[in-house]
Amino acid sequence: MYDAKSKIKFYSLVSEKIDFSKIIRDEKLDFSKPIIASKGFNKALKNVIDKDINFLSRNVKKITKEITMLLLKCGVDNDEISSDIEKIDDIINSVETIISKVIIEKESIKMGLFSTKKKEKKQRYKKLEDCVDTLSRYQSELISMKDEYNKLIQRISVLKDEDLNEEEDDNPKEDPLERTINFYMSKQNND
């Protein structure tokens, strides 16, 4: 089974996450004003967020493919599940519908004292029960991916308000955070 939870990363644009105690300056910081990051920082952050969205998209495609394979192995009829990350709510609803369908099929298996093919029915019942458990795990993974995707989309919408193509003003004072980000960006461009 594919496990995507351990690879999800979180990023923050919220100014409260910045540790101001490590900033050494003679001037006083005014916390009432918004913190403005350099354009290079915003571009780098947007690139990282885009990579995370692509990572989530690949994971959603893998999970939907595994769900389809699982349903084929269990012999459950199913329609095509979308694998588009932008329609993740529809995917989660489809998985919920599939789980309900499998549960109904599992509960329709009747085994009485004098039932015919009792062994085959028990095997089918067990197979469908395992299928429901696996589908439930996939559904919880998709829900966590949906939460992360929504966070990333929200952060990108904050960045869209900024003009990322605008040139930076020449600032005589160099910010250590800006210098670090520029170092890693130039290192990425050289690779």
Side-chain angles (χ1 to χ4, degrees), residues 40 43-44 47 51 181-191:
K43 285 181 186 177
N47 288 338
K51 286 180 183 178
I181 291 174
N182 287 334
F183 169 77
Y184 285 111
M185 286 177 52
S186 66
K187 184 177 176 182
Q188 180 184 18
N189 290 339
N190 291 336
D191 290 341

Side-chain angles (χ1 to χ4, degrees), residues 22-25 174-182:
K22 295 183 180 179
I23 299 175
I24 303 171
R25 291 190 182 181
E174 192 171 293
D175 183 26
L177 176 64
E178 190 173 326
R179 185 175 63 236
T180 304
I181 291 174
N182 287 334

Side-chain angles (χ1 to χ4, degrees), residues 1 38 52 65 79 106 117 121 125 162 169-170 172 177 179 183 186:
M1 184 170 110
S38 71
D52 284 347
K65 183 178 177 182
D79 297 332
K106 180 183 84 164
K117 302 180 184 180
K121 287 181 180 181
Y125 188 85
E162 301 287 327
D169 297 334
D170 289 334
L177 176 64
R179 185 175 63 236
F183 169 77
S186 66

